[in-house]
Amino acid sequence: MAIICKSASEIEKMRRSGRIVRQVLDTVKGLVAPGVTTMDLERAAEKKIRDLGAKPAFKGYYDYPCVLCTSINEEIVHGIPSEKRSLKRGDIVSIDCGVVLDGYYGDSAITVPVGEAISPELNKLLEVTEQSLYKGIDAVRVGNTLGDVGAAVQQHVEAAGFSVVREFVGHGIGTRLHEDPQVPNFGTQGQGSRLREGMVLAIEPMVNVGKPGTRTLDDHWTAVTADGSFSAHFEHCVAITRDGPVILTV
């Protein structure tokens, strides 16, 4: 495993990428409403990325066709934007975006309710998933392990009665979108690679209402829950510093 630690100047470049991702997600979140298509969100994101002087990280990556992943309800990750997918009141939509600026990547995800009428269970799902992200971030400290990060996420999620996806995990990030190490959202405290100053991790809990099993649709991208239950996804890029974790995608 070749883990690349970043200098302070490299982390600052990643912070600039991360800020662009946040601006894109804020723009797209503001457009989420009943009747809007996921392609509407895609077009707005692509324009915003271009206007901010960055390049999309996802489009063309292993031939992925879009700048966003838009995953609705039981879709976990990698949903492809489409003119045929209209958002409906009561849906939830996970929006994942990555950019590259001056050779450094940023990557972040949010899950957004469509309208104000989502069920109490889905409200809880979104709250718990986002909370679990910050539990994981709090464990990103010099001397801790990857197992500490995964355990913090897993314990919070399972205490709320939900489950953590196993097949998809977080990752290192830097001059490539995906670098070592993998960052599972489950684990055992004290196990796994030791965290070092300068590491930058994309932490991204994917949490299901039902069981953790997944399957991939015929488009070879969209991952859905095996049992049809709804799923949420939140992600930040986090730098490990001697003073603690620093979120770059804000």
Side-chain angles (χ1 to χ4, degrees):
M1 185 181 294
I3 297 173
I4 302 169
C5 292
K6 280 75 178 176
S7 66
S9 63
E10 287 179 305
I11 289 172
E12 185 56 36
K13 289 178 180 178
M14 296 190 70
R15 190 196 300 271
R16 291 198 289 270
S17 298
R19 285 173 177 160
I20 288 176
V21 173
R22 181 54 41 194
Q23 290 178 71
V24 174
L25 288 176
D26 286 346
T27 296
V28 173
K29 180 179 179 179
L31 299 175
V32 170
V36 171
T37 71
T38 52
M39 185 55 71
D40 293 332
L41 305 182
E42 166 74 9
R43 281 192 287 262
E46 187 159 26
K47 181 178 186 302
K48 188 71 172 181
I49 292 169
R50 184 173 60 250
D51 290 348
L52 292 171
K55 295 180 180 178
F58 298 170
K59 193 171 187 177
Y61 189 70
Y62 291 103
D63 295 325
Y64 185 76
C66 294
V67 308
L68 292 181
C69 297
T70 52
S71 307
I72 301 172
N73 296 340
E74 76 281 359
E75 298 171 353
I76 302 167
V77 284
H78 305 155
I80 302 173
S82 170
E83 296 279 12
K84 299 177 182 179
R85 296 300 305 276
S86 295
L87 301 176
K88 299 179 179 61
R89 192 175 305 277
D91 286 346
I92 57 174
V93 56
S94 298
I95 305 166
D96 193 355
C97 181
V99 307
V100 58
L101 178 72
D102 297 329
Y104 287 85
Y105 284 81
D107 187 8
S108 187
I110 55 175
T111 302
V112 181
V114 182
E116 300 176 356
I118 66 170
S119 70
E121 181 181 54
L122 291 183
N123 267 318
K124 181 181 177 183
L125 174 68
L126 268 56
E127 289 175 0
V128 168
T129 306
E130 188 169 18
Q131 289 166 359
S132 76
L133 169 61
Y134 288 98
K135 295 286 186 181
I137 290 171
D138 192 55
V140 177
R141 297 179 184 274
V142 174
N144 279 0
T145 68
L146 287 172
D148 294 327
V149 179
V153 173
Q154 181 181 9
Q155 289 168 12
H156 188 74
V157 168
E158 293 180 352
F162 300 132
S163 67
V164 173
V165 170
R166 286 352 190 232
E167 284 86 352
F168 301 95
V169 298
H171 51 92
I173 187 169
T175 57
R176 291 180 294 152
L177 179 60
H178 294 106
E179 296 182 353
D180 288 333
Q182 291 193 340
V183 185
N185 299 302
F186 55 92
T188 302
Q189 290 179 336
Q191 293 190 358
S193 297
R194 193 72 57 182
L195 303 181
R196 308 195 305 272
E197 183 179 356
M199 292 172 65
V200 180
L201 306 177
I203 303 172
E204 50 178 324
M206 288 153 269
V207 176
N208 298 346
V209 169
K211 295 180 179 179
T214 73
R215 63 185 180 87
T216 302
L217 299 185
D218 291 341
D219 63 16
H220 304 296
W221 281 104
T222 309
V224 301
T225 58
D227 61 8
S229 64
F230 282 22
S231 186
H233 177 207
F234 285 87
E235 177 182 18
H236 272 310
C237 291
V238 185
I240 303 173
T241 77
R242 67 186 65 185
D243 299 318
V246 174
I247 301 173
L248 304 179
T249 39
V250 291

Short mmCIF file of all heavy atoms in Angstrom, two decimals, residues 14-23 25-26 97-99 105-110 133-134 137 173 200-203 235-239 246-250:
data_model
loop_
_atom_site.label_atom_id
_atom_site.label_comp_id
_atom_site.label_asym_id
_atom_site.label_seq_id
_atom_site.Cartn_x
_atom_site.Cartn_y
_atom_site.Cartn_z
N MET A 14 -5.51 21.31 -2.34
CA MET A 14 -6.68 20.44 -2.22
C MET A 14 -7.84 21.17 -1.56
O MET A 14 -9.01 20.92 -1.87
CB MET A 14 -6.31 19.18 -1.45
CG MET A 14 -5.29 18.31 -2.17
SD MET A 14 -5.08 16.70 -1.42
CE MET A 14 -6.65 15.93 -1.83
N ARG A 15 -7.52 22.11 -0.67
CA ARG A 15 -8.58 22.91 -0.07
C ARG A 15 -9.28 23.75 -1.13
O ARG A 15 -10.50 23.91 -1.11
CB ARG A 15 -8.00 23.82 1.02
CG ARG A 15 -9.07 24.52 1.87
CD ARG A 15 -8.45 25.67 2.65
NE ARG A 15 -7.41 25.23 3.55
CZ ARG A 15 -7.62 24.85 4.82
NH1 ARG A 15 -8.85 24.84 5.29
NH2 ARG A 15 -6.60 24.50 5.58
N ARG A 16 -8.52 24.27 -2.10
CA ARG A 16 -9.13 25.05 -3.18
C ARG A 16 -10.04 24.18 -4.03
O ARG A 16 -11.14 24.60 -4.42
CB ARG A 16 -8.04 25.72 -4.02
CG ARG A 16 -7.30 26.83 -3.27
CD ARG A 16 -6.55 27.76 -4.21
NE ARG A 16 -5.39 27.13 -4.81
CZ ARG A 16 -4.17 27.15 -4.28
NH1 ARG A 16 -3.95 27.76 -3.12
NH2 ARG A 16 -3.15 26.58 -4.90
N SER A 17 -9.59 22.97 -4.33
CA SER A 17 -10.45 22.03 -5.06
C SER A 17 -11.71 21.71 -4.27
O SER A 17 -12.82 21.66 -4.80
CB SER A 17 -9.69 20.74 -5.37
OG SER A 17 -8.57 20.98 -6.19
N GLY A 18 -11.51 21.49 -2.98
CA GLY A 18 -12.63 21.15 -2.11
C GLY A 18 -13.66 22.25 -2.03
O GLY A 18 -14.87 21.98 -1.99
N ARG A 19 -13.20 23.47 -2.01
CA ARG A 19 -14.15 24.60 -1.95
C ARG A 19 -14.99 24.68 -3.22
O ARG A 19 -16.17 25.04 -3.17
CB ARG A 19 -13.38 25.91 -1.75
CG ARG A 19 -12.87 26.09 -0.32
CD ARG A 19 -11.97 27.30 -0.21
NE ARG A 19 -11.55 27.51 1.17
CZ ARG A 19 -10.48 28.23 1.52
NH1 ARG A 19 -9.74 28.80 0.57
NH2 ARG A 19 -10.16 28.38 2.79
N ILE A 20 -14.38 24.36 -4.35
CA ILE A 20 -15.15 24.35 -5.60
C ILE A 20 -16.22 23.26 -5.56
O ILE A 20 -17.37 23.49 -5.93
CB ILE A 20 -14.20 24.17 -6.80
CG1 ILE A 20 -13.41 25.46 -7.01
CG2 ILE A 20 -15.00 23.83 -8.07
CD1 ILE A 20 -12.37 25.39 -8.10
N VAL A 21 -15.84 22.08 -5.08
CA VAL A 21 -16.84 21.00 -4.95
C VAL A 21 -18.00 21.47 -4.08
O VAL A 21 -19.18 21.24 -4.41
CB VAL A 21 -16.20 19.73 -4.37
CG1 VAL A 21 -17.27 18.69 -4.08
CG2 VAL A 21 -15.15 19.16 -5.31
N ARG A 22 -17.70 22.14 -2.98
CA ARG A 22 -18.76 22.59 -2.08
C ARG A 22 -19.66 23.60 -2.77
O ARG A 22 -20.89 23.54 -2.63
CB ARG A 22 -18.13 23.21 -0.82
CG ARG A 22 -19.12 23.70 0.23
CD ARG A 22 -20.10 22.64 0.66
NE ARG A 22 -19.45 21.35 0.80
CZ ARG A 22 -20.08 20.19 0.90
NH1 ARG A 22 -21.41 20.16 0.85
NH2 ARG A 22 -19.43 19.05 1.03
N GLN A 23 -19.09 24.51 -3.54
CA GLN A 23 -19.91 25.48 -4.26
C GLN A 23 -20.82 24.80 -5.28
O GLN A 23 -21.98 25.19 -5.45
CB GLN A 23 -19.02 26.51 -4.96
CG GLN A 23 -18.30 27.45 -4.01
CD GLN A 23 -17.39 28.42 -4.75
OE1 GLN A 23 -17.85 29.33 -5.44
NE2 GLN A 23 -16.08 28.23 -4.63
N LEU A 25 -21.95 21.66 -5.11
CA LEU A 25 -23.00 20.94 -4.38
C LEU A 25 -24.05 21.90 -3.82
O LEU A 25 -25.24 21.60 -3.83
CB LEU A 25 -22.39 20.10 -3.27
CG LEU A 25 -21.62 18.86 -3.72
CD1 LEU A 25 -20.99 18.16 -2.51
CD2 LEU A 25 -22.52 17.88 -4.46
N ASP A 26 -23.61 23.06 -3.33
CA ASP A 26 -24.57 24.05 -2.82
C ASP A 26 -25.50 24.52 -3.95
O ASP A 26 -26.71 24.69 -3.74
CB ASP A 26 -23.84 25.24 -2.22
CG ASP A 26 -23.20 24.93 -0.87
OD1 ASP A 26 -23.54 23.88 -0.28
OD2 ASP A 26 -22.37 25.73 -0.41
N CYS A 97 -19.98 14.62 -6.17
CA CYS A 97 -19.29 15.44 -7.15
C CYS A 97 -17.80 15.46 -6.85
O CYS A 97 -17.40 15.50 -5.69
CB CYS A 97 -19.83 16.87 -7.11
SG CYS A 97 -19.04 18.00 -8.31
N GLY A 98 -17.00 15.43 -7.91
CA GLY A 98 -15.56 15.58 -7.77
C GLY A 98 -15.03 16.53 -8.83
O GLY A 98 -15.57 16.62 -9.93
N VAL A 99 -13.96 17.28 -8.48
CA VAL A 99 -13.32 18.15 -9.45
C VAL A 99 -11.81 18.00 -9.32
O VAL A 99 -11.29 17.49 -8.32
CB VAL A 99 -13.70 19.64 -9.26
CG1 VAL A 99 -15.20 19.82 -9.23
CG2 VAL A 99 -13.05 20.25 -8.03
N TYR A 105 -7.30 16.88 -6.54
CA TYR A 105 -8.71 16.50 -6.56
C TYR A 105 -9.45 16.89 -5.29
O TYR A 105 -8.87 16.92 -4.19
CB TYR A 105 -8.84 14.99 -6.76
CG TYR A 105 -8.59 14.54 -8.18
CD1 TYR A 105 -7.29 14.36 -8.65
CD2 TYR A 105 -9.64 14.32 -9.07
CE1 TYR A 105 -7.05 13.97 -9.96
CE2 TYR A 105 -9.41 13.93 -10.38
CZ TYR A 105 -8.11 13.76 -10.81
OH TYR A 105 -7.88 13.38 -12.11
N GLY A 106 -10.73 17.14 -5.46
CA GLY A 106 -11.67 17.27 -4.36
C GLY A 106 -12.88 16.40 -4.64
O GLY A 106 -13.24 16.18 -5.80
N ASP A 107 -13.53 15.89 -3.58
CA ASP A 107 -14.61 14.91 -3.75
C ASP A 107 -15.52 15.01 -2.53
O ASP A 107 -15.04 14.98 -1.38
CB ASP A 107 -13.98 13.51 -3.85
CG ASP A 107 -14.97 12.40 -4.19
OD1 ASP A 107 -16.13 12.70 -4.50
OD2 ASP A 107 -14.54 11.23 -4.13
N SER A 108 -16.82 15.15 -2.76
CA SER A 108 -17.76 15.27 -1.64
C SER A 108 -19.14 14.83 -2.08
O SER A 108 -19.45 14.82 -3.28
CB SER A 108 -17.81 16.72 -1.14
OG SER A 108 -18.57 16.84 0.04
N ALA A 109 -19.97 14.46 -1.11
CA ALA A 109 -21.33 14.00 -1.41
C ALA A 109 -22.29 14.45 -0.32
O ALA A 109 -21.90 14.58 0.86
CB ALA A 109 -21.38 12.48 -1.55
N ILE A 110 -23.53 14.66 -0.73
CA ILE A 110 -24.62 14.99 0.20
C ILE A 110 -25.84 14.19 -0.21
O ILE A 110 -25.96 13.75 -1.35
CB ILE A 110 -24.96 16.50 0.17
CG1 ILE A 110 -25.28 16.97 -1.26
CG2 ILE A 110 -23.83 17.32 0.78
CD1 ILE A 110 -25.74 18.41 -1.36
N LEU A 133 -20.61 10.48 9.52
CA LEU A 133 -19.47 11.06 8.81
C LEU A 133 -18.61 11.86 9.79
O LEU A 133 -17.38 11.71 9.81
CB LEU A 133 -19.97 11.94 7.68
CG LEU A 133 -18.93 12.83 6.99
CD1 LEU A 133 -17.82 12.01 6.37
CD2 LEU A 133 -19.59 13.72 5.94
N TYR A 134 -19.24 12.67 10.61
CA TYR A 134 -18.47 13.50 11.54
C TYR A 134 -17.88 12.68 12.68
O TYR A 134 -16.81 13.04 13.21
CB TYR A 134 -19.33 14.65 12.04
CG TYR A 134 -19.55 15.68 10.96
CD1 TYR A 134 -20.71 15.70 10.20
CD2 TYR A 134 -18.55 16.61 10.66
CE1 TYR A 134 -20.88 16.62 9.17
CE2 TYR A 134 -18.72 17.54 9.65
CZ TYR A 134 -19.88 17.53 8.91
OH TYR A 134 -20.03 18.43 7.88
N ILE A 137 -14.78 11.49 11.00
CA ILE A 137 -13.82 12.58 10.88
C ILE A 137 -13.13 12.85 12.21
O ILE A 137 -11.90 13.08 12.27
CB ILE A 137 -14.52 13.85 10.35
CG1 ILE A 137 -14.92 13.66 8.89
CG2 ILE A 137 -13.62 15.08 10.51
CD1 ILE A 137 -15.80 14.76 8.33
N ILE A 173 -6.93 10.42 -1.36
CA ILE A 173 -7.15 11.31 -2.50
C ILE A 173 -6.01 12.32 -2.55
O ILE A 173 -5.43 12.67 -1.52
CB ILE A 173 -8.53 12.00 -2.39
CG1 ILE A 173 -8.86 12.81 -3.65
CG2 ILE A 173 -8.63 12.85 -1.12
CD1 ILE A 173 -10.31 13.29 -3.70
N VAL A 200 -4.48 12.48 3.37
CA VAL A 200 -5.78 13.08 3.06
C VAL A 200 -6.73 11.95 2.67
O VAL A 200 -6.44 11.16 1.77
CB VAL A 200 -5.70 14.11 1.92
CG1 VAL A 200 -7.08 14.71 1.65
CG2 VAL A 200 -4.71 15.23 2.27
N LEU A 201 -7.86 11.88 3.36
CA LEU A 201 -8.81 10.79 3.20
C LEU A 201 -10.17 11.32 2.77
O LEU A 201 -10.63 12.35 3.29
CB LEU A 201 -8.97 10.01 4.50
CG LEU A 201 -7.71 9.46 5.16
CD1 LEU A 201 -8.06 8.78 6.48
CD2 LEU A 201 -6.98 8.50 4.23
N ALA A 202 -10.80 10.63 1.84
CA ALA A 202 -12.20 10.88 1.51
C ALA A 202 -13.03 9.87 2.31
O ALA A 202 -13.00 8.68 2.04
CB ALA A 202 -12.45 10.71 0.02
N ILE A 203 -13.71 10.38 3.31
CA ILE A 203 -14.52 9.54 4.20
C ILE A 203 -15.96 9.66 3.72
O ILE A 203 -16.48 10.77 3.58
CB ILE A 203 -14.38 9.98 5.66
CG1 ILE A 203 -12.90 9.94 6.07
CG2 ILE A 203 -15.22 9.11 6.58
CD1 ILE A 203 -12.63 10.53 7.42
N GLU A 235 -20.12 12.66 2.24
CA GLU A 235 -18.68 12.52 2.06
C GLU A 235 -17.98 13.86 2.24
O GLU A 235 -18.46 14.89 1.80
CB GLU A 235 -18.39 11.98 0.66
CG GLU A 235 -16.91 11.86 0.32
CD GLU A 235 -16.67 11.37 -1.10
OE1 GLU A 235 -17.61 11.45 -1.93
OE2 GLU A 235 -15.54 10.94 -1.41
N HIS A 236 -16.81 13.82 2.89
CA HIS A 236 -15.89 14.94 2.95
C HIS A 236 -14.47 14.44 2.71
O HIS A 236 -14.15 13.29 3.02
CB HIS A 236 -15.91 15.61 4.33
CG HIS A 236 -16.94 16.67 4.50
ND1 HIS A 236 -17.11 17.72 3.61
CD2 HIS A 236 -17.85 16.88 5.50
CE1 HIS A 236 -18.07 18.51 4.05
NE2 HIS A 236 -18.54 18.03 5.18
N CYS A 237 -13.62 15.33 2.19
CA CYS A 237 -12.18 15.08 2.16
C CYS A 237 -11.57 15.73 3.40
O CYS A 237 -11.86 16.89 3.72
CB CYS A 237 -11.55 15.68 0.91
SG CYS A 237 -12.00 14.84 -0.60
N VAL A 238 -10.71 14.98 4.08
CA VAL A 238 -10.18 15.40 5.39
C VAL A 238 -8.67 15.23 5.40
O VAL A 238 -8.15 14.15 5.09
CB VAL A 238 -10.80 14.58 6.53
CG1 VAL A 238 -10.34 15.10 7.88
CG2 VAL A 238 -12.33 14.60 6.45
N ALA A 239 -7.95 16.28 5.78
CA ALA A 239 -6.50 16.21 5.94
C ALA A 239 -6.17 15.93 7.41
O ALA A 239 -6.81 16.47 8.32
CB ALA A 239 -5.86 17.52 5.50
N VAL A 246 -8.74 18.29 9.45
CA VAL A 246 -9.15 19.52 8.78
C VAL A 246 -9.98 19.14 7.56
O VAL A 246 -9.50 18.46 6.64
CB VAL A 246 -7.93 20.35 8.34
CG1 VAL A 246 -8.38 21.56 7.52
CG2 VAL A 246 -7.13 20.80 9.55
N ILE A 247 -11.25 19.55 7.55
CA ILE A 247 -12.14 19.25 6.43
C ILE A 247 -11.83 20.20 5.29
O ILE A 247 -11.83 21.43 5.45
CB ILE A 247 -13.61 19.37 6.85
CG1 ILE A 247 -13.92 18.43 8.02
CG2 ILE A 247 -14.53 19.06 5.67
CD1 ILE A 247 -15.31 18.61 8.61
N LEU A 248 -11.55 19.63 4.10
CA LEU A 248 -11.16 20.45 2.95
C LEU A 248 -12.33 20.79 2.04
O LEU A 248 -12.23 21.72 1.23
CB LEU A 248 -10.09 19.69 2.13
CG LEU A 248 -8.83 19.28 2.91
CD1 LEU A 248 -7.88 18.53 2.00
CD2 LEU A 248 -8.15 20.49 3.53
N THR A 249 -13.43 20.06 2.15
CA THR A 249 -14.57 20.24 1.24
C THR A 249 -15.68 21.05 1.92
O THR A 249 -16.83 20.64 1.99
CB THR A 249 -15.07 18.87 0.75
OG1 THR A 249 -15.05 17.94 1.83
CG2 THR A 249 -14.21 18.35 -0.37
N VAL A 250 -15.29 22.22 2.45
CA VAL A 250 -16.27 23.12 3.06
C VAL A 250 -16.08 24.52 2.48
O VAL A 250 -15.06 24.83 1.89
CB VAL A 250 -16.13 23.18 4.59
CG1 VAL A 250 -16.55 21.87 5.21
CG2 VAL A 250 -14.71 23.56 5.02
#
